[in-house]
Amino acid sequence: MVNKKIYLSMCNKNSCPGPVHVVEPGDTLYGIARKHHTRVRVLLDLNPFVDIYNLQPGDEICIPPDRPSDQAGFRPYVVKPEETLGEILKKLSMSFEELARVNKVLSDLKLRPGTILLVPTGKNYS
């Protein structure tokens, strides 16, 4: 009996938002992330079943789409002096979650005048 490992692809090509990287000998997750200008954490999020300690040639890793297309569809919003987050959300007709999803600066909840926020262009904002 031959001891032969069979590797199954854990990457679903139909639901991958970007290209699929086929692992080559010597590839590491860090190297793949650098090659595709992304972060290891993003790769792990997109590929929850990947065994980072045992990448095998032929394994398929889902890669996020290129950055420029991620940022398309946003416009800047400059926070005005004395303006609160609540006032901004009301003015933009957005939930905090919608705005925080694309603005990491919201994690400290202190918006200073001059802060630039990204606002999706899909809705009609004042």
Side-chain angles (χ1 to χ4, degrees):
M1 182 173 178
V2 177
N3 186 5
K4 187 176 180 182
K5 290 185 179 179
I6 299 174
Y7 298 100
L8 299 175
S9 172
M10 295 295 183
C11 175
N12 183 345
K13 292 179 185 178
N14 295 330
S15 64
C16 182
V20 173
H21 175 88
V22 178
V23 175
E24 297 176 4
D27 273 353
T28 64
L29 211 53
Y30 176 74
I32 295 168
R34 285 193 57 182
K35 179 179 181 179
H36 294 281
H37 310 287
T38 190
R39 295 176 185 225
V40 171
R41 177 79 254 159
V42 173
L43 293 180
L44 290 172
D45 289 344
L46 283 173
N47 301 276
F49 300 109
V50 70
D51 182 354
I52 62 171
Y53 301 107
N54 193 24
L55 288 181
Q56 298 293 318
D59 285 353
E60 295 177 336
I61 306 290
C62 182
I63 305 296
D66 292 335
R67 280 281 181 228
S69 64
D70 285 352
Q71 292 178 357
F74 295 98
R75 66 177 174 83
Y77 178 89
V78 180
V79 177
K80 293 160 188 62
E82 307 297 319
E83 193 170 31
T84 67
L85 183 56
E87 292 168 342
I88 294 168
L89 293 173
K90 186 174 181 179
K91 183 183 287 186
L92 299 174
S93 301
M94 294 182 77
S95 70
F96 175 79
E97 290 78 16
E98 288 175 300
L99 196 59
R101 196 173 301 128
V102 292
N103 292 279
K104 304 268 189 255
V105 69
L106 292 177
S107 62
D108 70 7
L109 295 181
K110 279 189 172 183
L111 294 178
R112 292 179 173 77
T115 300
I116 298 174
L117 302 176
L118 295 176
V119 177
T121 56
K123 294 182 179 180
N124 185 16
Y125 303 117
S126 312

